[in-house]
Amino acid sequence: MNKKKENLYGYIFILPWIIGFLGLTLGPLLFSLVGSFTNYNVTSRMDFVGFANYKEMFMYDDLFWTSLYNTLYFVAFSVPLTTIAAILISTLMNQDIPGMRVFRTIYYLPAILSGVGVYLLWMQLLDPSTGLINQFLAIFGIDGPNWLFDSEWAKPSLIMMKLWSAGGSMLLYLAAMQGVSKTLYEAAIMDGATRVQMFFRITLPMVTPIIFFDIVTSTIGSFQIFQEAYVMSADNAGAPENSLLFYNLYMWIKAFNVFDMGYAMAMSWILFIIVLILTIINFKFARRWVHYEGD
């Protein structure tokens, strides 16, 4: 088979992906960019308004800043906490003791559960009067907070719920830890290293590529928080006191409740730029702390 014919077959095989990318990704992406400079209302209006949407967003819309603050708060706490929790759980699950496969399965189970059912379950657990969490705290004489009904506790409640699904990342860390060469630990033991020293000097550096991957994907995913706030807020719009008004929820309200689609498109591009900048920063600093086996 000559080179030209081989290339032609290659293009034919990737043609479905190219069509899908152009029609379902690049097309809507460019349309949203153009739409962000219009007053598009989904039905009949699409006039060019220049930077009016961006001006209103930054200068006059207090809810935009509230939603951005709520989202940054969630990202700043949920990403480090879930990463640390996943590493600690995977360290425990990496021990060679009888019945470990059962424990691994139990810890991983929450990761395969998702959607509205999980949110309804947590709403029952966090119920101030009948929820199991407050009833458990009452055993120790502690008056539990109102969780989702208290603006001070609403976001920590979602962060706590996020920790419940750390089992998904745990699987990645566990696979990485089991790939660390035993000779490194044997050499460390001969040098008199303790378990804590081996964890910080061998295990943790060897799994930094997975930590980096987890931080990047978790950060992007956390910025997209929507379902939890929509289902678990009392009015499906960020109550109480807009404490659960996350960026994507506010964007959805603007797009499908107010039908200010042009404004929502402008919001989506601001979110894209924020996530892009944070991802570039992550990659920039990764060289200083991520260790690859070939380095």
Side-chain angles (χ1 to χ4, degrees):
M1 184 182 298
N2 60 46
K3 190 69 176 176
K4 286 185 178 179
K5 203 168 184 179
E6 187 177 345
N7 289 340
L8 178 63
Y9 283 144
Y11 285 121
I12 291 174
F13 278 119
I14 65 171
L15 189 59
W17 180 87
I18 293 175
I19 294 172
F21 175 74
L22 294 177
L24 302 176
T25 302
L26 186 60
L29 194 70
L30 294 176
F31 180 74
S32 71
L33 179 61
V34 174
S36 70
F37 296 101
T38 70
N39 59 357
Y40 181 46
N41 68 349
V42 185
T43 56
S44 60
R45 196 172 57 191
M46 193 170 182
D47 305 317
F48 183 73
V49 296
F51 287 93
N53 289 326
Y54 294 95
K55 185 178 179 182
E56 181 184 348
M57 194 186 308
F58 289 115
M59 299 183 67
Y60 305 114
D61 191 352
D62 293 335
L63 288 180
F64 164 76
W65 292 107
T66 301
S67 65
L68 184 59
Y69 166 77
N70 289 338
T71 306
L72 290 174
Y73 180 102
F74 181 79
V75 173
F77 284 97
S78 70
V79 172
L81 289 176
T82 52
T83 302
I84 293 171
I87 292 173
L88 292 178
I89 295 172
S90 58
T91 303
L92 292 174
M93 297 299 107
N94 196 33
Q95 306 305 311
D96 188 18
I97 60 174
M100 185 52 72
R101 290 184 179 181
V102 177
F103 289 112
R104 289 172 184 169
T105 304
I106 292 172
Y107 274 94
Y108 184 69
L109 274 178
I112 63 174
L113 302 174
S114 62
V116 177
V118 172
Y119 308 144
L120 294 176
L121 171 66
W122 273 93
M123 289 172 71
Q124 292 184 356
L125 291 173
L126 294 170
D127 188 279
S129 56
T130 61
L132 289 179
I133 294 178
N134 275 7
Q135 290 187 15
F136 176 75
L137 293 175
I139 296 174
F140 303 98
I142 301 173
D143 289 330
N146 287 327
W147 299 112
L148 296 171
F149 299 97
D150 186 338
S151 60
E152 297 292 328
W153 283 94
K155 283 189 286 294
S157 300
L158 294 195
I159 293 169
M160 183 170 64
M161 186 182 75
K162 189 75 175 175
L163 285 171
W164 191 57
S165 60
S169 301
M170 177 270 294
L171 203 62
L172 294 175
Y173 290 115
L174 182 60
M177 287 178 182
Q178 294 195 337
V180 178
S181 174
K182 302 293 183 190
T183 56
L184 295 175
Y185 295 110
E186 291 169 358
I189 292 172
M190 290 180 67
D191 290 338
T194 63
R195 283 182 174 271
V196 175
Q197 287 173 326
M198 286 192 287
F199 175 77
F200 284 103
R201 300 290 179 85
I202 298 175
T203 306
L204 215 50
M206 295 301 287
V207 300
T208 48
I210 302 300
I211 296 174
F212 174 62
F213 170 80
D214 189 27
I215 289 175
V216 170
T217 54
S218 297
T219 302
I220 295 172
S222 297
F223 267 104
Q224 297 173 352
I225 179 173
F226 169 74
Q227 292 180 339
E228 297 88 335
Y230 182 76
V231 174
M232 300 176 75
S233 58
D235 59 352
N236 302 122
E241 301 176 23
N242 293 324
S243 59
L244 294 181
L245 184 65
F246 292 106
Y247 197 93
N248 276 6
L249 178 58
Y250 185 49
M251 188 163 58
W252 186 89
I253 291 171
K254 278 289 188 182
F256 299 107
N257 281 4
V258 185
F259 294 108
D260 194 351
M261 186 64 78
Y263 189 90
M265 289 175 172
M267 285 187 66
S268 70
W269 275 95
I270 296 300
L271 180 63
F272 171 74
I273 292 170
I274 292 172
V275 173
L276 179 64
I277 291 172
L278 288 177
T279 304
I280 291 173
I281 292 172
N282 271 329
F283 273 89
K284 190 74 176 175
F285 284 95
R287 299 171 186 171
R288 299 185 179 183
W289 62 275
V290 179
H291 306 282
Y292 293 99
E293 199 168 342
D295 291 347

